[in-house]
Amino acid sequence: MKVSVLASSLIGSEIIKIGNEVNEMKRKGASIANLTIGDFDANIYPIPTELKAGIVDAYHANQTNYPPADGVLSLRETVSELLKDRFGLEYNTNSILVSGGSRPLIYATYLALIDPGDTVVFPAPSWNNNHYCHLTSAEAVAVETDAAHNFMPTAAQLKPHLKGATLLALCSPLNPTGTMFDGDSLAEICDVVLEENASRGADEKPLYLMYDQIYSLLTFGKEHVNPVSLRPAMREFTVFVDGSSKCLAATGVRVGWGFGPEDIINRMKALVGHMGAWAPKAEQVAMSNYFNDKAQVDSFLTSFKSQIQDSLNALYNGFNELKNEGFNVEAVEPMGAIYLTIKIDYIGKTTEDGQLLKDSADVNFYLIKEAGAALVPFSAFGNADSMPWFRASVGACTLQDIKDMLPRIKVALSKLK
């Protein structure tokens, strides 16, 4: 059957592929700690009780018709206040766009700014930018980062690739690493962007920055920073991606919001409208009411973040103990989001039955089978198969699941030669 070139050339998500294999093994009775999907088990991390009740109430109040194209006004007003209160950012309701989670906002940003053949620069590892480049026929430039900088890109690494580029895609806290920009590092990147734009003519498209801060309320002792607060001149070039999915464990509720220059947001509004990618109206009404009660939000976040941090710390400390015992592993201290970055340097080792682990995917599937531990190699985020770094997501495991998994990993690694 003939389909479009775009459809026939799409590459499936490696994360979903691993997750599906893990779920099939679990269906057959295997006990596996699934650290693959950047999601939450709702039985471990339910959404706030008040939000759930508000959604039900909104349905009972018949809030079931089409929402406004840019989002329910009360929610955009709430988001405007939230941005001012939490981040010191001043954006009016006309500069805010609500959609069904953050993915339509990312795609709409690409569609609004990118012409076929335009260059998009993003760090490796990062989530899904390669796929959005493919969908928009952009020229993808993945800039390798390193452990020395916690896999966050630096101005020096990015600058050689920005001449003539249309979009720089950044995320902090970063999926997949759980690490964050500090103010100095992000300010240096902003200065490079401003310098590049100052060199362009009035008839040239500027270099835009898409700043994904969907995990900005999930940080652990680190201050979240943003480009516009650091360099106000970045305001006309920056599109933010944000929402409720991660900070409220509400991935399935599908309420995200973006904000930025009003003209760009208006064009994104039209794109989201043609996609029909609105957030459901009842959920928007409930989200507005929920975020209007700051004390309620803070109370939930305190408990939620503590639970997430306990799991991340258990994983981090467990891998540090393995390292101290002589195993070829490392872990980067968790800073934000629901992820831990782990190095498991066993590529080239051989299993007891003589199988050579030739790349990170082999190491991963060895651990799934031998240790009941499923991770995602950085190769799923734009890095080479030979890179021995992995993402661990703690949203779908209990603290006890993680504690029980660590001895199994130790045994499995001990068997390799």
Side-chain angles (χ1 to χ4, degrees), residues 8 15 28 39-40 81 113 115 119 127 153 166 243 265 340 394:
S8 63
I15 305 169
K28 294 178 179 177
D39 195 3
F40 302 92
E81 286 301 312
L113 301 178
D115 290 309
T119 297
W127 178 81
T166 298
I265 293 299
L340 189 74
V394 300

Side-chain angles (χ1 to χ4, degrees), residues 315-370:
L315 197 56
Y316 175 69
N317 293 332
F319 270 85
N320 276 336
E321 288 174 14
L322 288 173
K323 179 181 178 180
N324 291 337
E325 292 175 28
F327 288 89
N328 255 356
V329 300
E330 290 182 33
V332 177
E333 181 181 6
M335 300 178 190
I338 58 175
Y339 308 116
L340 189 74
T341 295
I342 299 169
K343 184 179 186 181
I344 304 175
D345 199 359
Y346 282 79
I347 296 172
K349 299 292 185 180
T350 304
T351 66
E352 285 186 311
D353 60 3
Q355 178 191 357
L356 176 67
L357 302 181
K358 60 184 180 300
D359 55 29
S360 58
D362 285 351
V363 172
N364 194 43
F365 281 104
Y366 172 76
L367 290 175
I368 291 172
K369 294 174 183 176
E370 291 294 324

